[in-house]
């Protein structure tokens, strides 16, 4: 099983700040890495597919990068509505796995 | 508009059974693989099972293998999860999600339902 480790687990940030969340895979997964945002009491929403491709309708402040084992989700100029938990997800091999999540709090 | 609506959750005793349904609309259901993903209260996301568009390929997480059965009815645009021998650790919100693949790449979940809560408790 491929383990995805996100860092940090929690981050408290101010609006307009730039945020970087990392996701490290226990073995190479190419670009089969996707990012989701989940707000309280809502279902997850896709942000980034295949490591760096933005999903339709996602604000341009969200971007992804990386390949192999190291990946990054960047949020430029954070907005209050970005308060949420963010998950990475690998679909390179079964079982599909998710990172443990990174909770962003807006100060 | 893509819509996925889960139903069938509820309170069940350990060892009991439950059947979840996911009604799909707004897209050609028979063309897509589908996933079930769960989330225990206050915890992260856990992949449960996947089924290909024609049901030819079915996969399960080890934690549910032998107890859960995924199926679909393309004529009814519906996805199912039959859950038997339920345990307390199966307590979670269960989401159905559409699986999208591009250019021969692997699957990502582009649309998710709102989830249905399954509580296993005596």
């Amino acid at each position: 099983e491929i383990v995805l480790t996100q860092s940090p687990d929690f981050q408290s940030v101010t609006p307009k700040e730039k945020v970087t969340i990392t996701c490290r895979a226990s073995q190479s997964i190419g670009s089969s890495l996707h990012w989701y945002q989940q707000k309280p009491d809502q279902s997850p929403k896709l942000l980034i597919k295949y490591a760096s491709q933005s999903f339709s309708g996602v604000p341009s402040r969200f971007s992804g990068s990386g390949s192999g084992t190291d990946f990054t989700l960047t949020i430029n100029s954070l907005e209050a509505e970005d308060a949420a938990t963010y998950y990475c997800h690998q679909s390179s091999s079964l079982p599909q796995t998710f990172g443990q999540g990174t909770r962003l709090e807006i100060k | 508009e893509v819509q996925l609506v889960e139903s069938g959750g509820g309170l069940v005793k350990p060892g009991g059974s439950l059947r979840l349904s996911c009604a799909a609309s707004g897209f050609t259901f028979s063309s897509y693989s589908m996933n079930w993903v769960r989330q225990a209260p206050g915890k992260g996301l856990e992949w449960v099972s996947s089924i290909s568009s024609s049901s030819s390929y079915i996969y399960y997480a080890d934690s549910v293998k032998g107890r859960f059965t995924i199926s679909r009815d393309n004529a009814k645009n519906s996805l199912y999860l039959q859950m038997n021998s339920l345990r307390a650790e199966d307590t979670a919100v269960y989401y159905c999600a559409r699986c999208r693949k591009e250019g021969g790449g692997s699957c990502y979940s582009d649309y998710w339902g709102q989830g249905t809560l399954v509580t296993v408790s005596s």
Side-chain angles (χ1 to χ4, degrees):
Chain A
E1 172 174 321
I2 295 174
V3 176
L4 298 179
T5 304
Q6 292 182 228
S7 63
D9 290 332
F10 171 82
Q11 192 168 3
S12 184
V13 293
T14 56
K16 299 187 179 180
E17 198 174 328
K18 177 181 176 179
V19 172
T20 299
I21 299 171
T22 65
C23 178
R24 175 162 289 176
S26 58
Q27 61 191 79
S28 180
I29 57 173
S31 60
S32 297
L33 190 286
H34 321 290
W35 291 97
Y36 303 87
Q37 176 194 65
Q38 186 179 33
K39 296 182 180 180
D41 297 320
Q42 293 186 19
S43 55
K45 289 181 169 54
L46 178 67
L47 295 174
I48 302 290
K49 53 187 172 77
Y50 301 126
S52 62
Q53 299 176 20
S54 295
F55 184 58
S56 175
V58 173
S60 59
R61 63 181 180 276
F62 292 91
S63 63
S65 64
S67 66
T69 60
D70 293 300
F71 302 87
T72 300
L73 174 70
T74 301
I75 311 174
N76 283 300
S77 193
L78 195 78
E79 298 190 6
E81 66 184 29
D82 299 334
T85 300
Y86 294 83
Y87 294 94
C88 57
H89 161 228
Q90 71 81 20
S91 56
S92 173
S93 65
L94 291 172
Q96 297 182 38
T97 51
F98 292 85
Q100 81 277 15
T102 295
R103 186 164 71 90
L104 280 188
E105 174 191 85
I106 312 299
K107 292 177 184 174
Chain B
E1 178 193 5
V2 172
Q3 282 203 316
L4 298 168
V5 180
E6 301 94 336
S7 60
L11 175 62
V12 61
K13 289 181 168 54
S17 297
L18 215 52
R19 189 195 195 206
L20 306 183
S21 299
C22 172
S25 61
F27 65 102
T28 305
F29 180 71
S30 60
S31 296
Y32 290 86
S33 296
M34 297 293 293
N35 292 325
W36 285 102
V37 176
R38 69 183 180 183
Q39 186 170 36
K43 302 296 185 183
L45 300 169
E46 179 190 15
W47 171 77
V48 172
S49 183
S50 296
I51 186 168
S52 63
S53 57
S54 60
S55 305
S56 298
Y57 300 97
I58 287 175
Y59 307 100
Y60 298 99
D62 285 346
S63 57
V64 307
K65 199 173 295 182
R67 301 187 299 122
F68 290 11
T69 302
I70 191 172
S71 62
R72 64 191 295 160
D73 185 336
N74 287 342
K76 294 183 177 180
N77 291 337
S78 293
L79 175 72
Y80 306 102
L81 187 68
Q82 177 67 44
M83 303 186 296
N84 298 331
S85 304
L86 282 162
R87 307 166 179 166
E89 54 264 35
D90 295 319
T91 295
V93 173
Y94 285 74
Y95 297 101
C96 66
R98 189 176 80 167
C99 171
R100 181 83 186 267
K101 297 182 185 182
E102 296 176 8
S106 60
C107 157
Y108 60 89
S109 293
D110 59 350
Y111 291 96
W112 299 59
Q114 85 289 349
T116 187
L117 176 62
V118 172
T119 304
V120 184
S121 174
S122 55

